[in-house]
Amino acid sequence: MILVVLDHDGTKLRKGSLEALTRARQLAQALGEKVAGVLLAEAGAPLEEARGYVETLYVAELGPYTAEKWAAGVLEAAKGGVKAIVAPSSRQSRAYMGRVAYALKAGLLEDTLESWAEGGEVYAIRYAYLNRVTQKVKSPPPVALTVKPNTTPLAEPLGQGGEVVALQVPPVATVEVLERVQEEKKGVSLTEADVVVTGGRGMGSAEAFKRVEELAALLGGAVGATRAVVDAGWRPYGEQVGQTGKTVQPTLYIALGVSGAVQHLAGMNKSKYIVAVNKDPEAPIFKHADYGIVGDVHQVLPALIEAVKKLKD
Amino acid sequence: MKFIAVIRQVPDGESRLRIQENRVDLSSATLILDQMDEYGVEEALRLKEKHGGEAIVVGFGPERAEEALRTALAMGMDRGIHVVHEGYADPVTVAEALAPLIREESPTLVLTGGQQADWDSQALGAALAEALGVPVVPWTTAIELEGETARAKHDLDEGAEWVRVKLPAVFTTQQGLNEPRYPTLPGIMKAKKKEIQKVAFQGNSRVEILEEIIQEKARLQRILDGKDPVAAAEELVRLLHEEAKVI
Ligand SMILES: Cc1cc2nc3c(=O)[nH]c(=O)nc-3n(C[C@H](O)[C@H](O)[C@H](O)COP(=O)(O)OP(=O)(O)OC[C@H]3O[C@@H](n4cnc5c(N)ncnc54)[C@H](O)[C@@H]3O)c2cc1C
Ligand SMILES: Nc1ncnc2c1ncn2[C@@H]1O[C@H](COP(=O)(O)O)[C@@H](O)[C@H]1O
């Protein structure tokens, strides 16, 4: 069996789940296995939608998410024996899949861009060294594999609803969730945006980000921030791009007053086009830029906004 | 109380990476204590300073990784355990190597980095927690001990949450947990005399690295002079529209 974890937001499957499903089907075909899905939920779950994609769907309602409960749910679904467990990559999945991999003594293939099976083994391509190196790795089955977002075509439904099997997940109560701290969501989501406009310390103040927001809105994009900016309290942590923030891969990434530290590059160096504005011609960001302007962001940014407006008219 | 920080030695992100025979060659790289692991060392020290007890650094890696253990000892950790292993090992294998040694210490809690700066893995903490049969709190930004439990704040994909967790537990670090201290000169001197227990490990990694390449996208590097900001901005917008066709 190839087991795929179908992640969702309570009402519908996340896009990443359909990418994971495509990978699971590819592995199943190459290894001569069947695909089953597992749908774990805090409360509600898109049961009808999910059973449209798999012949067998294991389901369990587990209350507030913890890595322990999700690992227990996945392991319960995998009890019949698995060649691979595939999940969309996220902070959460990369934690519970670590537990699952250990429990099954499985090869853990994290955040993969591609995967395939050949000669009975599972191969994958992934990034390492803060996104600077591309690795080709392999493991004999079983494997626990997470799928990097936006790397894989979305799976199509099967056309008929699969069988639903309720899981009896043994209770694990070692972590109690006390309080969720939600981030306010506005505009386009950073990780899904086609354009990201990031301000760095060079913006000089929280007020100056009004213009970053304006340019992002004009281009239909999202606002990003560097850690220096988040540490200064100018922008919320949810906007941070980099090693300890979010990884983005938009078509256009505009870095304003950003020096280009490796920890920042780790979150955006795979963007299709990178644009930098920095007053220091020696700033490392220029080495990673397709286009750039050496100049004062307080003069260049208003001019950029005007030039984009002119183009749109 | 006993606080364990699990660490590894990784290349400094600023240092150039070279590829030799399809693998990353670190022989000329500057190697450091992984900065995400450093948060774990700092937190172990702060917990010890507040609650008393012992702070132990456990390292996994080749002989050279002893330098990273020494850095942690110079920051103030009391003693070290170094599991010596050459080459790549996946997190399940590393957890298998470390778990028996950690279990023997009966720690109050274990800390390790949220993500490794070389293999970009986020799973060591979780695999270790599974090996020890204890809970894991990933991407931790705050820890407060409360007797048999700890209250901790940690990041999710969206937002964050406070949890109460039964101890012992494994915590992986996130930026914001603390600001790591620098080793002092007396600290460095003292560290030279601190005990590091060496343990050989020969386990086989399930995951094997077949090939590593540096596939940096060739960037156009068309950098304009911004002395006339309006002209530069107009030219940039023209290039993005007509050449790159992205706006
Ligand atoms: C473990 C760890 C994890 C980290 N994770 C992240 C992460 O996820 N994301 C992240 O961003 N960082 C991260 N960092 C921090 C990172 O190392 C850098 O410190 C940070 O990215 C710097 O942010 P910055 O570019 O805004 O600031 P600076 O490095 O201070 O750069 C500011 C730039 O603005 C330019 N500038 C100043 N004034 C102007 C002006 N008027 N006009 C034009 N340009 C101007 C300057 O020339 C300079 O290049 C991490 C660090 C560590 C140790
Ligand atoms: N997506 C893939 N599907 C199947 N095989 C692949 C894939 N990517 C790479 N390979 C195999 O790996 C070999 C070397 O790949 P690479 O080093 O990625 O160019 C190829 O000759 C293929 O046999």
Side-chain angles (χ1 to χ4, degrees):
Chain A
M1 183 173 74
I2 308 292
L3 187 67
V4 56
V5 187
L6 297 172
D7 190 11
H8 58 92
D9 62 7
T11 53
K12 58 181 193 325
L13 295 180
R14 289 189 207 277
K15 220 174 100 202
S17 299
L18 303 185
E19 297 187 59
L21 191 55
T22 298
R23 298 281 199 92
R25 286 178 183 170
Q26 289 166 348
L27 290 179
Q29 194 176 17
L31 295 168
E33 296 281 326
K34 278 193 177 334
V35 175
V38 56
L39 188 69
L40 304 174
E42 302 204 330
L47 187 68
E48 279 312 311
E49 185 192 5
R51 60 191 283 253
Y53 285 91
V54 285
E55 281 170 35
T56 310
L57 181 69
Y58 296 101
V59 296
E61 203 173 292
L62 301 173
Y65 167 86
T66 68
E68 287 64 43
K69 287 196 269 187
W70 256 242
V74 171
L75 287 169
E76 192 60 36
K79 244 187 179 160
V82 287
K83 285 273 171 69
I85 301 174
V86 183
S89 204
S90 66
R91 273 199 182 133
Q92 275 97 312
S93 75
R94 290 178 74 178
Y96 69 72
M97 289 287 267
R99 295 199 79 106
V100 166
Y102 189 91
L104 298 177
K105 297 287 158 23
L108 183 60
L109 306 172
E110 283 176 271
D111 210 28
T112 61
L113 300 149
E114 286 178 46
S115 50
W116 67 97
E118 212 173 279
E121 298 204 277
V122 180
Y123 292 74
I125 305 286
R126 61 184 302 274
Y127 293 137
Y129 295 89
L130 299 179
N131 250 17
R132 289 187 292 169
V133 168
T134 307
Q135 287 181 331
K136 182 175 168 185
V137 295
K138 75 160 182 180
S139 168
V143 297
L145 183 143
T146 49
V147 176
K148 194 176 180 65
N150 303 324
T151 57
T152 312
L154 306 188
E156 296 292 336
L158 292 177
Q160 67 192 58
E163 182 199 1
V164 175
V165 181
L167 291 173
Q168 298 301 318
V169 181
V172 261
T174 45
V175 178
E176 179 196 350
V177 176
L178 302 173
E179 181 197 343
R180 286 260 165 93
V181 190
Q182 298 292 355
E183 280 167 18
E184 72 166 305
K185 273 192 209 150
K186 49 177 182 183
V188 198
S189 131
L190 185 56
T191 43
E192 284 168 14
D194 224 26
V195 177
V196 174
V197 185
T198 288
R201 201 202 309 263
M203 293 306 305
S205 67
E207 293 70 55
F209 271 81
K210 287 222 171 66
R211 288 203 191 271
V212 178
E213 283 180 356
E214 191 180 348
L215 182 60
L218 272 174
L219 299 173
V223 174
T226 63
R227 173 167 171 184
V229 161
V230 173
D231 282 351
W234 298 347
R235 300 300 292 187
Y237 167 68
E239 289 179 1
Q240 184 178 312
V241 173
Q243 180 187 7
T244 47
K246 295 203 164 85
T247 304
V248 300
Q249 200 167 335
T251 309
L252 176 60
Y253 189 90
I254 303 181
L256 305 164
V258 173
S259 61
V262 273
Q263 293 91 351
H264 184 75
L265 295 171
M268 47 62 86
N269 64 359
K270 304 292 178 191
S271 303
K272 187 145 185 233
Y273 284 96
I274 295 176
V275 172
V277 177
N278 197 303
K279 68 177 182 190
D280 173 10
E282 303 297 323
I285 189 78
F286 283 127
K287 292 204 182 63
H288 303 270
D290 294 291
Y291 301 101
I293 297 178
V294 178
D296 185 340
V297 76
H298 301 299
Q299 296 172 352
V300 175
L301 179 53
L304 267 177
I305 290 170
E306 284 316 307
V308 173
K309 277 185 183 160
K310 224 197 243 170
L311 178 75
K312 303 241 153 174
D313 283 342
Chain B
M1 291 199 182
K2 232 184 228 184
F3 306 102
I4 291 187
V6 172
I7 63 132
R8 293 180 53 260
Q9 189 189 40
V10 297
D12 182 347
E14 305 290 342
S15 78
R16 261 185 82 92
L17 290 176
R18 291 194 318 165
I19 301 285
Q20 283 279 356
E21 289 169 20
N22 294 326
R23 295 297 300 273
V24 171
D25 169 22
L26 294 178
S27 57
S28 57
T30 310
L31 297 162
I32 56 168
L33 166 58
D34 193 325
Q35 288 172 306
M36 294 298 282
D37 294 340
E38 203 172 44
Y39 293 128
V41 171
E42 178 63 35
E43 198 62 18
L45 290 170
R46 290 188 188 194
L47 286 166
K48 180 196 146 170
E49 283 156 8
K50 190 159 171 201
H51 301 281
E54 198 183 14
I56 307 166
V57 55
V58 176
F60 182 92
E63 272 303 339
R64 59 165 168 77
E66 186 180 322
E67 298 155 25
L69 278 119
R70 291 279 170 214
T71 304
L73 294 174
M75 287 169 73
M77 300 297 275
D78 295 308
R79 64 185 163 92
I81 302 174
H82 181 186
V83 178
V84 184
H85 178 269
E86 290 291 332
Y88 172 73
D90 63 66
V92 169
T93 308
V94 179
E96 273 174 340
L98 301 184
L101 296 157
I102 292 176
R103 197 178 289 115
E104 199 152 301
E105 297 287 349
S106 305
T108 309
L109 57 83
V110 179
L111 294 137
T112 194
Q115 177 170 335
Q116 301 171 337
D118 54 353
W119 300 329
D120 288 9
S121 173
Q122 299 181 1
L124 179 58
L128 203 51
E130 184 70 21
L132 296 169
V134 304
V136 62
V137 180
W139 299 104
T140 312
T141 52
I143 303 175
E144 296 157 8
L145 297 192
E146 296 177 327
E148 304 285 289
T149 62
R151 250 168 61 84
K153 190 179 182 193
H154 75 123
D155 283 344
L156 301 168
D157 282 285
E158 302 294 337
E161 67 186 11
W162 278 98
V163 295
R164 179 171 290 119
V165 57
K166 231 163 106 184
L167 296 176
V170 177
F171 298 83
T172 82
T173 64
Q174 165 66 321
Q175 129 198 359
L177 180 59
N178 54 48
E179 271 310 316
R181 68 195 67 186
Y182 291 102
T184 59
L185 197 58
I188 294 168
M189 297 311 289
K190 264 196 228 155
K192 288 187 177 151
K193 294 198 201 76
K194 286 182 182 167
E195 177 205 332
I196 297 182
Q197 180 195 345
K198 295 270 182 180
V199 182
F201 177 70
Q202 248 92 38
N204 273 330
S205 179
R206 280 165 196 76
V207 179
E208 189 186 333
I209 299 175
L210 301 173
E211 183 181 55
E212 289 175 316
I213 53 173
I214 295 179
Q215 207 174 33
E216 265 170 29
K217 202 167 170 286
R219 296 290 173 184
L220 303 173
Q221 302 212 359
R222 309 239 335 223
I223 311 302
L224 312 169
D225 188 336
K227 275 205 196 77
D228 180 345
V230 173
E234 281 181 351
E235 175 62 3
L236 176 61
V237 167
R238 188 192 68 78
L239 288 167
L240 291 175
H241 181 63
E242 290 175 13
E243 196 178 273
K245 299 189 167 60
V246 288
I247 61 173

